[in-house]
Amino acid sequence: MGESSGDGVTPNVQAREGWPAVIEDMEATAAEYRDGGWTTLELHPGDSVLVDSDRRTGIDVVLPGPEFENLESLVEERSFRDVEVFRAEGDGLMYLLVVETDPETETAVFVPAYYDPSAAAETIESIREEGTVTLFCRRLNDDTVEFVHNDPAPFLPETGE
């Protein structure tokens, strides 16, 4: 595992220079939601990848135990049906900030993620054909919270690139 950067965030080696910018954007966006009276949960994945297997297809992020437990308790009591996705490409990676929201309870979960689109062309095509994308937030023991979205386009690279 990487060393802490002193601010409580463990640097993510695979994500390179773009990852700190995603985390900064998450913190700023979460602050705006909190200023608006929303309850927020900011997650800090230790790893992120686009997966396509018999067990799961979608974006898979691995969370620290305490953050996963906080997420699990939030989803038990709320219905997250809306999503906002911020997407940027850099360093050969696709960076995402996914904001899962429950407007009725004014609760937002912030999930930063990244993946290498050049290594996942078949998975991206499979997700496009399926017409849905699942965001898997999980612990190392494979306990998982899933967010399923019927419009995968915001999570994927632009077509025709």
Side-chain angles (χ1 to χ4, degrees):
M1 286 279 176
E3 296 178 23
S4 176
S5 61
D7 59 4
V9 176
T10 302
N12 196 306
V13 176
Q14 292 92 356
R16 304 183 193 108
E17 294 84 26
W19 191 242
V22 174
I23 299 301
E24 289 173 16
D25 288 348
M26 175 181 70
E27 292 168 351
T29 306
E32 290 175 17
Y33 272 77
R34 280 191 301 277
D35 290 347
W38 285 58
T39 299
T40 64
L41 175 62
E42 298 168 51
L43 302 177
H44 301 87
D47 196 16
S48 175
V49 67
L50 198 61
V51 295
D52 188 6
S53 71
D54 293 340
R55 294 180 46 223
R56 60 177 146 259
T57 299
I59 301 165
D60 185 81
V61 297
V62 179
L63 300 175
E67 287 189 0
F68 180 84
E69 291 165 7
N70 290 338
L71 174 62
E72 201 171 40
S73 68
L74 274 183
V75 298
E76 286 176 5
E77 304 165 0
R78 293 164 183 83
S79 179
F80 292 89
R81 295 190 180 148
D82 294 343
V83 66
E84 188 171 9
V85 181
F86 302 91
R87 177 182 66 201
E89 292 186 62
D91 310 321
L93 298 176
M94 175 67 66
Y95 293 99
L96 303 171
L97 175 56
V98 181
V99 185
E100 303 283 355
T101 61
D102 176 10
E104 289 182 21
T105 63
E106 294 189 336
T107 303
V109 175
F110 295 82
V111 187
Y114 65 90
Y115 62 89
D116 180 351
S118 67
E122 288 181 27
T123 302
I124 291 168
E125 189 56 35
S126 175
I127 290 170
R128 281 195 176 110
E129 287 175 9
E130 181 69 29
T132 62
V133 65
T134 302
L135 175 59
F136 299 93
C137 299
R138 67 179 181 89
R139 295 175 10 162
L140 285 176
N141 70 1
D142 265 353
D143 288 346
T144 305
V145 170
E146 298 178 13
F147 297 99
V148 179
H149 301 288
N150 293 324
D151 180 8
F155 297 87
L156 304 175
E158 296 286 331
T159 56
E161 289 189 17

